[in-house]
Amino acid sequence: MSDETLPVATALRHKDLLAISDMTPEEIRLVLDTAEAMKEIGSRTIKKVPALRGKTVVNLFFEPSTRTRTSFEIAEKRLSADTLNIAIASSSVVKGETLADTALTLEAMNPDMIVLRHSSSGAAHLLSRICKSSIINAGDGTHEHPTQALLDAYTIRSRKGGIAGLKVAIVGDLLHSRVLRSNVHLLTKLGAEVWVCGPPTLIPVDIARLGVKVTHRVDEAVEGADVIMLLRIQLERMQGAYFPSLREYFSVFGMTEARVKRAKDDVIIMHPGPMNRGVEIASEVADGPFSVILDQVANGVAVRMAVLYLLAGGVEHHEEAA
Ligand code: CP
């Protein structure tokens, strides 16, 4: 594929990517289709196209990250953007500078995009209101992680040929998971039947209103499932005791080979990472024949390239429209 065959990037309605709840099914499909083209670039000997030459992208991560931060940086470099990683520990944040002042300081240097991860839900929306550059939400508190859901959808679509009509079982710590919210919005918009499962203490009270089926029985959730997605027990966000012990959690909710056998013969096993082996997932399942966990990581680069590319076109589109 030549660089001229990349899709024309004017079809995202907003200058930012803040949440899957803001996206239409057509916008989601556009990102997934664009990611197909980006994936091919990653398989070339020289993995670089000039699509974002002259654009500056700032990666601003206030929380730890391995997959999201590195895949955004690789995606930016493959598109020839100038990238800047802010090291929070050696920035003026440690002197007490607020998120808004940090963002406005960076904005004064005229970047085109800011990729933000932050522990506060709504942090990306705050930057969207005060910054002219495009804001990409790389995970905000327990709210959303839109590029994770997009790469998950890309992975499911690659393996299953589509998403509509699939039974997707999401099992784990639903209460603290931004990945859950983004995936529920995306998968229901594209017509999947979504089941969520976890201990009562780790299920948000209003989750059924998002159009999912709720169960506390793992066997019911995974019965006949096309996709099983495990979510990490987020001990760092837990103040009290949500279940008696990690050992008991694994015995009741952990994904074992025996439980996987209840799903379809061609089930795929997903996990956004990082995994707690022996807690939400057995090592035999994480490393087993149905696991697509490392495919998710690989697809994250192509999907983030697509998001950067489409938003770069979108900025020009919105400026023209203003
Ligand atoms: N899935 C995910 O967000 O992983 P990281 O925290 O490593 O970025």
Side-chain angles (χ1 to χ4, degrees), residues 71-94:
S71 63
F72 262 113
E73 192 177 344
I74 291 171
E76 292 151 13
K77 289 185 186 327
R78 286 194 180 163
L79 293 172
S80 303
D82 296 317
T83 68
L84 186 66
N85 296 309
I86 305 295
I88 295 299
S90 56
S91 74
S92 288
V93 169
V94 295

Side-chain angles (χ1 to χ4, degrees), residues 64-69 117 138 145 148 178-179 272-274 304:
S65 168
T66 298
R67 281 146 284 265
T68 312
R69 191 179 56 73
R117 170 168 289 192
H145 191 349
Q148 178 69 44
R178 51 198 177 206
V179 175
R304 287 171 176 131

